[in-house]
């Protein structure tokens, strides 16, 4: 059993930055691949960024590549998402999710919500013009 709790969301103006955190408890965090997703009203949940069990491999959706950076601190059981140059279209609820590895971290399967067993409750990010 793995519990995930996100924080760090808020309301910002376009062009600003936010850093989201996801704290894990209940199981050995370091053995899970971790991914950030987001979902805005009326849209499918979108996979954004994947990180392997260590910090050697990351994979990004085209929509956030170059602006968002995923990282993790296994000693603190924490996953991060640094979001820079935020745009109004980044407005959404952001979720972290975990699963055991099934392929290389650059496999698109990790951006699919169906493959994940553990989810956080989400944190709202709102970006205004």
């Amino acid at each position: 059993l793995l519990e995930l709790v996100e924080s760090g969301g808020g309301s910002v103006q376009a062009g600003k930055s936010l850093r989201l955190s996801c704290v894990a408890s209940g199981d050995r965090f370091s053995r899970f691949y971790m991914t950030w997703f987001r979902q805005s009203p009326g849209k499918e949940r979108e996979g954004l960024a994947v990180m392997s069990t260590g910090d050697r491999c990351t994979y990004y959706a085209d929509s956030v590549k170059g602006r968002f950076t995923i990282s993790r601190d296994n000693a603190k059981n924490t996953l991060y998402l640094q979001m820079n140059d935020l745009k109004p279209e980044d407005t959404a609820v952001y979720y972290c999710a975990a699963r055991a590895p099934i392929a290389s971290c650059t496999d698109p399967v990790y951006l699919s919500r169906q493959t994940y067993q553990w989810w956080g409750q989400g944190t709202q990010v709102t970006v205004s013009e």
Side-chain angles (χ1 to χ4, degrees), residues 63-128:
S63 57
V64 302
K65 197 175 298 181
R67 297 190 300 124
F68 290 10
T69 302
I70 189 171
S71 61
R72 67 191 296 165
D73 185 337
N74 286 339
K76 295 182 178 180
N77 290 345
T78 303
L79 177 75
Y80 303 99
L81 185 68
Q82 178 67 42
M83 305 187 295
N84 298 330
D85 189 25
L86 283 161
K87 307 175 186 299
E89 52 264 39
D90 294 319
T91 295
V93 178
Y94 284 70
Y95 301 88
C96 61
R99 68 148 299 129
I102 55 171
S104 164
C105 99
T106 57
D107 192 307
V109 69
Y110 287 109
L111 295 181
S112 170
R113 64 174 298 181
Q114 281 79 13
T115 68
Y116 286 82
Q117 184 177 11
W118 310 112
W119 291 87
Q121 84 291 346
T123 186
Q124 176 71 45
V125 172
T126 303
V127 185
S128 58

Side-chain angles (χ1 to χ4, degrees), residues 4-20:
L4 303 172
V5 180
E6 302 95 335
S7 63
S11 297
V12 297
Q13 290 186 318
K16 300 296 186 182
S17 299
L18 280 174
R19 189 175 81 154
L20 305 183

